[in-house]
Amino acid sequence: MIDNIITALRAGEVEILYTSLVSGVDKKVTGTLKDHNLNQNRNNERVVFWDLNNEKYEDIQIDTIIDWRSV
């Protein structure tokens, strides 16, 4: 799954629905890696991306992702 998300993030905007590790609440974020030169380790348990809403880098643990889609 991480390969598909990284590919989509590099191509454009991706909406990710995940469960927060801190609050346990489901959250939605829109992110991208387009125009960001950031290497991802595909063996890592987290995906790092640019959060378009909060204008900062964000990381999400892969096993907390409920769903995602390109927008």
Side-chain angles (χ1 to χ4, degrees):
M1 174 171 64
I2 192 168
D3 289 335
N4 294 338
I5 293 174
I6 291 171
T7 299
L9 285 164
R10 285 186 177 148
E13 295 181 13
V14 175
E15 187 176 86
I16 302 172
L17 177 64
Y18 69 101
T19 303
S20 169
L21 290 172
V22 175
S23 67
V25 174
D26 292 349
K27 296 185 175 186
K28 192 181 293 184
V29 64
T30 303
T32 190
L33 285 173
K34 189 172 184 176
D35 301 325
H36 292 266
N37 189 15
L38 182 66
N39 275 337
Q40 295 280 327
N41 180 345
R42 297 184 189 290
N43 296 321
N44 196 340
E45 59 188 46
R46 295 184 172 273
V47 62
V48 180
F49 57 90
W50 181 254
D51 179 339
L52 292 165
N53 301 325
N54 297 305
E55 297 184 342
K56 66 177 184 174
Y57 283 103
E58 186 66 68
D59 67 311
I60 296 177
Q61 191 165 310
I62 294 298
D63 63 1
T64 66
I65 296 175
I66 300 165
D67 196 17
W68 66 275
R69 68 179 181 92
S70 296
V71 290

